[in-house]
């Protein structure tokens, strides 16, 4: 520093600011204590490539770039500058790169460093030879006492840390045991719920089977009634058709007989006076009042039977429509019940699986017990 930066060296001597007050941390930590990593990476690369001399280069480059600020600072200001302001300056990668370029340009001969090392060793030996042996022994004894006190303090710290660790481990073990007990209770409760859920599922399956059987019987009954009603309707239609055919035949036969009788009567002079020129029977009302004509009575009875059959046919059709409506309503109720049963099964099954997963997933201390899988529902 006296050779490279003589004015800064003189300023530091006037302030009684020695190199170990600011540079010891640089050398012991390879500049990693205060400076950003982007700068430290460059320094380590140069150290692995060039050797230990690069540390002196970087230190001289730092002093050289901060020379103007350091010359204006006092003792406290210089120490604060090294501690706070200097690391902030090289947070930018561009500033760190320029510093590395300047450090590589600084020349510190290896021979000169070795010469300084020899002079330092000679100076230390001469100081030791000139020193009183009693003072040296006292200093060595004081150093050993400090080392002993430091080791005792470290021993006490380790003992305290060991006791603290044992207490913490005991507390952790107690908490783990408590948690294991809670998880075991939850597992037992979950198993009990699973058994209850399986029992409920079995009951629901039985109820479902009963409902299916009831619906099946009602459906068969409705189909049987439909078939019966259809057969009755077909029979009524056949009877109506037969009666209509029979009525038409009787009407035709009556007309033919009436024409024959009329023709015979027209051949008779005495009987022809009864009829008009248009062929209308004059005494028809009298004869009808006096004599009950058998074909008219049979015709009335047939009409009455036809009306009864039509009324019964209408009632049968009405019953058929009511049966169809009832079947549709039963089908709708059956679909709604099946949807409710399926939703209840899905909800129960998902809740059971979630509770089992939660109980087995939050229990790391015990291996999961094998459980019998639930029977598949038909």
């Amino acid at each position: 520093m006296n050779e490279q930066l003589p004015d800064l060296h003189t300023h530091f001597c006037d302030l009684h600011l020695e190199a170990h007050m600011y540079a010891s941390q640089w050398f012991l930590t390879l500049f990693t204590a205060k400076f950003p990593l982007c700068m430290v990476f460059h320094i380590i690369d140069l150290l692995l490539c060039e050797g230990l001399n690069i540390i002196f280069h970087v230190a001289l480059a730092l002093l050289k770039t901060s020379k103007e600020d350091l010359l204006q600072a006092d003792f406290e200001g210089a120490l604060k500058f090294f501690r706070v302001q200097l690391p902030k300056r090289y947070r930018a990668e561009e500033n760190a790169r320029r510093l590395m370029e300047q450090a590589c340009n600084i020349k510190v001969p290896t021979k000169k460093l070795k010469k300084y090392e020899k002079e330092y060793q000679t100076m230390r030996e001469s100081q030791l030879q000139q020193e009183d042996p009693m003072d040296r022994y006292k200093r060595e004894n004081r150093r050993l006492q400090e080392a002993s006190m430091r080791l005792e303090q470290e021993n006490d710290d380790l003992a305290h840390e060991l006791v603290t660790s044992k207490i913490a481990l005991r507390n952790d073990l107690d908490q783990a045991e408590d948690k294991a007990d809670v998880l075991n209770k939850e597992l037992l409760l979950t198993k009990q719920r699973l058994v209850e859920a399986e029992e409920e599922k079995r009951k629901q399956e039985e109820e479902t089977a009963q409902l299916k059987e009831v619906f099946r019987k009602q459906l068969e009954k409705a189909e049987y009634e439909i078939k019966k009603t259809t057969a009755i309707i077909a029979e009524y239609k056949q009877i109506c058709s037969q009666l209509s055919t029979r009525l038409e035949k009787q009407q035709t036969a009556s007309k033919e007989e009436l024409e024959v009788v009329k023709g015979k009567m027209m051949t008779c002079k005495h009987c022809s006076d009864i009829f008009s020129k248009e062929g209308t029977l004059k005494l028809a009302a009298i004869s009808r009042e006096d004599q009950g004509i058998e074909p008219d009575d049979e015709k009335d009875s047939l009409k009455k039977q036809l009306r009864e059959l039509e009324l019964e046919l209408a009632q049968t059709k009405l019953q058929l429509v009511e049966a169809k409506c009832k079947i549709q309503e039963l089908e709708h109720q059956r679909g709604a019940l099946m949807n409710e049963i399926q939703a209840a099964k899905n909800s129960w099954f998902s809740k059971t699986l979630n509770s089992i997963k939660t109980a087995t997933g939050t229990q790391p201390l015990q291996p999961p017990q094998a459980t019998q899988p639930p029977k598949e529902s038909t």
Side-chain angles (χ1 to χ4, degrees), residues 283-325:
L283 299 177
I286 300 173
S287 61
R288 286 176 184 174
E289 290 178 359
D290 295 337
Q291 300 177 357
I293 301 174
E294 185 178 355
D296 292 337
D297 295 338
E298 188 176 359
K299 183 177 179 182
D300 293 335
S301 64
L302 289 176
K303 288 183 178 181
K304 184 177 181 181
Q305 291 180 1
L306 182 60
R307 284 195 298 271
E308 291 178 355
L309 290 174
E310 288 178 352
L311 181 60
E312 190 174 357
L313 178 61
Q315 293 178 355
T316 306
K317 287 183 179 180
L318 182 60
Q319 292 177 358
L320 178 61
V321 172
E322 291 178 353
K324 287 183 179 180
C325 293

Side-chain angles (χ1 to χ4, degrees), residues 23-32 55:
S24 59
Q25 195 177 30
W26 298 351
F27 282 69
L28 291 175
T29 63
L30 290 179
F31 302 92
T32 58
I55 299 176

Side-chain angles (χ1 to χ4, degrees), residues 10-71:
T10 304
H11 181 65
F12 281 1
C13 290
D14 295 338
L15 296 176
H16 301 287
L17 183 63
E18 299 179 1
H20 68 83
M21 295 180 182
Y22 59 88
S24 59
Q25 195 177 30
W26 298 351
F27 282 69
L28 291 175
T29 63
L30 290 179
F31 302 92
T32 58
K34 295 291 184 181
F35 293 96
L37 289 177
C38 61
M39 176 179 169
V40 174
F41 292 155
H42 291 301
I43 295 172
I44 293 176
D45 290 339
L46 292 174
L47 176 66
L48 297 175
C49 183
E50 302 293 338
L52 291 174
N53 292 344
I54 197 64
I55 299 176
F56 297 98
H57 297 186
V58 176
L60 290 173
L62 287 171
L63 294 173
K64 194 171 183 180
T65 54
S66 306
K67 177 181 175 181
E68 300 297 331
D69 296 327
L70 291 172
L71 288 175

